[in-house]
Amino acid sequence: MSVRKMVVALALLALTGCSAEQPAVVPVAATVAAPNGVDVLYAQMMVVHHAQAVQLSRILLAKRDVPERVANIAGFIAQDQQREIDETNAWLVAWGRPAADPADPVIQQMHGGDAAAHGMLGADQLREVEDAAPARATELFLRQMIAHHTGAITMSRSVLEDGGNVYIRDLAAHVINEQTAENTAMRALLSPPRG
């Protein structure tokens, strides 16, 4: 549950019959299903996954002469996914878990043998974008980010089957919707204009 939703819920409780003499105390944790192991693993893995998308986007944004539409997509990805990293780490801490550090090798290994299936890029792929001229870097960015997003969508569909916590289910639904739309936009930028 987002912080905004919690504040609204608490405000509604205050407006619906709680007297000043006996305020209703409803612990948030009592109204929300505690995360299961699948929820926590997804959160940790998604922090790492998003961190790589932010990194790839910033590599492209550091270059000159990147087409404006591609730079806008990269900028949005960097901003939106950094926000989700921060919110997901705050969620982990709120449930008594440590924040996931994307630089931690143990956290990085959570993708394990599924790293490629999850769209995770190798260091050589990131370096290729970094070393490429703007036109080539733009094409690499689009192709790699599409694969990266496809992996996140797959992970998110999986957690919707087995996860139980409302925040994680909302995050997974957002990832599916947002990244499917971004993939459609990026594929269109890769396709040559017709006619």
Side-chain angles (χ1 to χ4, degrees), residues 88-154:
T88 302
N89 270 332
W91 176 86
L92 284 165
V93 170
W95 284 103
R97 305 294 180 123
D101 177 3
D104 182 345
V106 174
I107 298 287
Q108 289 176 359
Q109 292 303 315
M110 288 183 170
H111 286 279
D114 292 332
H118 294 165
M120 293 296 287
L121 305 172
D124 55 332
Q125 292 172 295
L126 292 169
R127 205 167 23 258
E128 187 179 7
V129 177
E130 197 164 15
D131 294 343
R136 176 69 178 144
T138 297
E139 180 185 354
L140 287 169
F141 168 83
L142 291 170
R143 293 188 187 286
Q144 290 178 353
M145 192 61 79
I146 289 167
H148 198 264
H149 277 10
T150 301
I153 292 165
T154 299

Side-chain angles (χ1 to χ4, degrees), residues 10-35:
L10 291 174
L12 287 173
L13 283 173
L15 293 174
T16 56
C18 298
S19 70
E21 297 158 2
Q22 295 181 341
V25 177
V26 179
V28 173
T31 63
V32 176

